[in-house]
Amino acid sequence: AARIADLDAVASLAEVAERYRYCCPTVDAEDAIEVEEGRHPVVERRIGGNGFVPNDVLLDSGPNRFLIITGPNMAGKSTYIRQVALIVLMAQMGSFVPAKRARIGVADRIFTRIGATDSLSRGQSTFMVEMNEVAEILRHATRRSLIILDEVGRGTSTFDGLSIAWAVIEYLNETRALRTLFSTHYHELTVLEDKLSGVRNYFISAIKKDKDIVFLRKVKRGAAKESYGIEVARLAGIPEQLVVRAGEFLT
């Protein structure tokens, strides 16, 4: 039964590789993670057809070791950083990966800090859970690890959260030189590209047309200029008078 289960798992990987145009990755002992036209294996299936927009990534332990990802809400920042982690995981388990080409420098572990959840049974707030997970990463990550951080610092006040996120970036990049993908709405953090070696800014592109926003889902070099939170609120169905009033406050 165990052998049949192994065969079933391997055959399933082979079937999706053939059906959905996965490539055979190169896995080596170098530190670079290079993916051309990478895709999220689950999200692309939910979208169907050719609706998923593929993106590249270059991550290493040198000049491209810390990527700060900015962009609007709903643009695809979390999907992008997660797909990189999934491609690394799939490559190292022996699977083909959803990309045109991939070269994976082996990671000893993948650490993630994603989502916003509390732990009521342990009396921990969302922010406390987040800080516990960040502390765990700081204690155990090595130079061979891959780190995925999604909006660190959002669970507390703006200035506290920004300060913590800034300090975490400095520590991971300068003190530890760890390969990290860091998505954020704190656009102030994008100045770190000019202050710290190894930090690179990328953003998920979008176009604002009148009151609407069109998500292009493409990752580009540089920093996003705004998060379009009010436009996303309108898309979600928030009453127009509230959206207009929010715009007045923003101004």
Side-chain angles (χ1 to χ4, degrees), residues 63-94:
N64 302 283
R65 62 178 173 266
F66 202 106
L67 309 187
I68 296 178
I69 317 295
T70 52
N73 292 285
M74 298 291 295
K77 297 189 299 299
S78 296
T79 298
Y80 176 67
I81 64 175
R82 292 178 196 209
Q83 79 185 36
V84 174
L86 284 170
I87 288 172
V88 171
L89 181 64
M90 293 173 70
Q92 292 190 204
M93 66 185 278

Side-chain angles (χ1 to χ4, degrees), residues 73-226:
N73 292 285
M74 298 291 295
K77 297 189 299 299
S78 296
T79 298
Y80 176 67
I81 64 175
R82 292 178 196 209
Q83 79 185 36
V84 174
L86 284 170
I87 288 172
V88 171
L89 181 64
M90 293 173 70
Q92 292 190 204
M93 66 185 278
S95 173
F96 279 37
V97 299
K100 182 177 181 180
R101 182 183 65 85
R103 176 185 169 213
I104 307 299
V106 169
D108 58 2
R109 281 172 289 186
I110 300 173
F111 291 95
T112 66
R113 157 82 289 273
I114 293 175
T117 57
D118 54 22
S119 179
L120 297 179
S121 62
R122 291 185 292 172
Q124 294 184 347
S125 67
T126 300
F127 182 66
M128 187 62 177
V129 170
E130 177 183 331
M131 290 298 99
N132 282 337
E133 293 181 359
V134 171
E136 189 76 3
I137 292 171
L138 298 179
R139 281 194 295 267
H140 298 293
T142 74
R143 286 180 65 89
R144 298 300 314 182
S145 301
L146 173 63
I147 301 173
I148 308 297
L149 298 174
D150 191 17
E151 298 187 36
V152 166
R154 65 180 167 184
T156 187
S157 70
T158 301
F159 291 117
D160 282 356
L162 173 59
S163 301
I164 291 169
W166 191 304
V168 167
I169 292 173
E170 281 191 346
Y171 180 79
L172 290 174
N173 180 68
E174 296 295 287
T175 305
R176 304 288 297 280
L178 303 180
R179 297 179 293 182
T180 306
L181 290 163
F182 188 102
S183 73
T184 185
H185 283 292
Y186 294 139
H187 295 165
E188 297 86 349
L189 296 173
T190 58
V191 302
L192 292 176
E193 179 177 274
D194 298 324
K195 295 178 179 291
L196 305 176
S197 62
V199 173
R200 295 287 183 270
N201 287 326
Y202 288 86
F203 72 100
I204 313 289
S205 55
I207 297 176
K208 186 176 179 181
K209 292 185 177 181
D210 298 323
K211 294 182 179 181
D212 296 324
I213 180 171
V214 178
F215 301 116
L216 302 180
R217 313 289 187 192
K218 203 66 182 173
V219 176
K220 298 181 179 181
R221 277 284 281 131
K225 293 181 172 56
E226 55 183 307

